[in-house]
Amino acid sequence: MTGTPHVDTAQLMELLSVSLAAYYGDFTVAAANENLTASQGKTLNVLRRGPASMSALATTLTCDASNMTGIVDRLERRGLVRREPSPSDRRVKNVILTDEGERVIDVIRRKMHNTLAGLNRLSEQEQNTLYALLERTFTSQPAAV
Amino acid sequence: MTGTPHVDTAQLMELLSVSLAAYYGDFTVAAANENLTASQGKTLNVLRRGPASMSALATTLTCDASNMTGIVDRLERRGLVRREPSPSDRRVKNVILTDEGERVIDVIRRKMHNTLAGLNRLSEQEQNTLYALLERTFTSQPAAV
DNA sequence: TATTGTTATACTCTATAACTATA
DNA sequence: TATAGTTATAGAGTATAACAATA
């Protein structure tokens, strides 16, 4: 490091773009190792937090509701999720992670954890700093830490 | 802010995931506004730096070479890029951004610049810090700043 | 022999529109 | 009327395998 580094927004954009590609690529590979597409992996990841209706899944994954039918169909065919009729609204189907689905997404998340080896090169204080900066950059409503 | 925040790697992973998803979503929308898919937008963005062969493009976009044929076909049909035979290797075709292609990718990049409004809330020093941390996290060979 | 780019094929993702069964 | 989920459809991305032209 020689003197004070100067970073303009364009450089930061470039690095964010590269970081995104690296992170997304790692996730895609981790999912592919379990014979899943990235969309299928994302769906399982969302369902880790609990059951969700088809339309809620579509909203979270920012895709049209009609897409979820096929994605959930394939996950269900592999026994990773199951559909269950909502007790309160007979139009709604809730999607639930099966034990096998839970096992598979845990494997993917464990790999992602390992893949982000760079995080281990950051001290705890640096991790706190990175978290705070990303939060201010990308989160409109700051969450409690 | 109450006391010292504590962030574990899992939380940091989550925030990185959300932040990069936001960035990727913004890029996809910006590209869609120009009637381009994300892959087409990424291709134009790569070509900003200069001509590239089909195989070099495939490597940079981490997809199979056979995919590039279709992507470049559609960009060429819209007059955003053109293929040119390499003077040194008759097997190679170099892909070059047209003036119109340059105009379109500039529009997209300008929108991304505006969209990253959160960056304006960071001081110059904070932007430098964010850059350095992302670089250490995602780049194996640190580039000079 | 190896590499570059293309074609053919099959699967997945994606949005739009139309449909049904509920609400 | 509006909403939840599905189906049909068409366009795009993706990997694999096979091919012609060139190195």
Side-chain angles (χ1 to χ4, degrees):
Chain A
M1 193 102 60
T2 69
T4 306
H6 176 70
V7 177
D8 62 21
T9 305
Q11 281 180 292
L12 199 42
M13 265 180 65
E14 205 67 29
L15 182 59
L16 279 170
S17 169
V18 169
S19 302
L20 161 68
Y23 188 85
Y24 187 72
D26 286 345
F27 183 81
T28 302
V29 167
N33 284 339
E34 302 301 316
N35 277 308
L36 294 175
T37 65
S39 293
Q40 290 168 346
K42 278 190 236 172
T43 302
L44 293 186
N45 200 43
V46 168
L47 290 174
R48 269 181 66 248
R49 300 203 168 166
S53 68
M54 297 294 291
S55 60
L57 278 177
T59 300
T60 303
L61 301 184
T62 54
C63 68
D64 192 83
S66 62
N67 300 331
M68 289 313 308
T69 300
I71 294 174
V72 170
D73 278 352
R74 290 172 204 110
L75 290 174
E76 195 169 31
R77 214 177 298 147
R78 283 192 45 185
L80 303 180
V81 305
R82 65 172 194 279
R83 285 173 167 97
E84 223 172 58
S86 162
S88 56
D89 187 333
R90 295 201 300 178
R91 293 173 302 179
V92 174
K93 289 176 188 170
N94 287 318
V95 185
I96 303 172
L97 216 52
T98 64
D99 290 346
E100 173 67 2
E102 213 158 334
R103 191 190 65 73
V104 168
I105 188 58
D106 278 353
V107 168
I108 293 176
R109 287 176 62 83
R110 202 147 38 232
K111 277 184 189 164
M112 283 306 290
H113 207 279
N114 291 336
T115 303
L116 283 177
L119 293 180
N120 298 328
R121 297 202 297 269
L122 302 184
S123 70
E124 188 178 335
Q125 189 187 333
E126 286 170 332
Q127 291 193 24
N128 288 334
T129 303
L130 177 55
Y131 189 92
L133 291 178
L134 285 174
E135 186 178 66
R136 282 177 54 191
T137 303
F138 290 103
T139 312
S140 38
Q141 181 76 19
V145 179
Chain B
M1 197 102 61
T2 69
T4 306
H6 176 70
V7 178
D8 62 21
T9 305
Q11 279 180 292
L12 197 42
M13 265 181 66
E14 204 67 28
L15 183 59
L16 275 171
S17 170
V18 169
S19 302
L20 296 176
Y23 186 85
Y24 185 72
D26 286 345
F27 183 81
T28 302
V29 167
N33 284 339
E34 302 301 314
N35 277 307
L36 293 175
T37 65
S39 294
Q40 291 169 345
K42 278 189 236 171
T43 302
L44 293 187
N45 199 43
V46 169
L47 290 175
R48 271 181 64 249
R49 299 202 168 166
S53 69
M54 297 293 291
S55 61
L57 278 177
T59 300
T60 303
L61 300 184
T62 55
C63 70
D64 192 85
S66 62
N67 300 331
M68 289 314 307
T69 300
I71 294 174
V72 170
D73 278 352
R74 291 172 203 109
L75 290 173
E76 195 169 31
R77 216 176 298 148
R78 283 190 46 185
L80 304 180
V81 305
R82 66 173 194 276
R83 285 174 167 95
E84 222 172 58
S86 162
S88 57
D89 187 333
R90 294 201 300 179
R91 293 172 303 178
V92 174
K93 290 176 188 169
N94 287 318
V95 185
I96 303 172
L97 216 52
T98 64
D99 290 347
E100 172 67 1
E102 213 158 332
R103 192 191 65 73
V104 168
I105 187 59
D106 279 353
V107 169
I108 292 175
R109 287 176 62 84
R110 203 148 35 234
K111 277 185 188 164
M112 285 305 291
H113 205 279
N114 291 336
T115 302
L116 283 176
L119 294 180
N120 298 329
R121 297 201 297 268
L122 303 184
S123 70
E124 189 178 336
Q125 189 187 333
E126 286 170 332
Q127 290 192 26
N128 287 335
T129 302
L130 178 54
Y131 188 91
L133 291 177
L134 283 174
E135 186 178 65
R136 282 177 55 191
T137 303
F138 289 103
T139 311
S140 39
Q141 180 77 18
V145 180

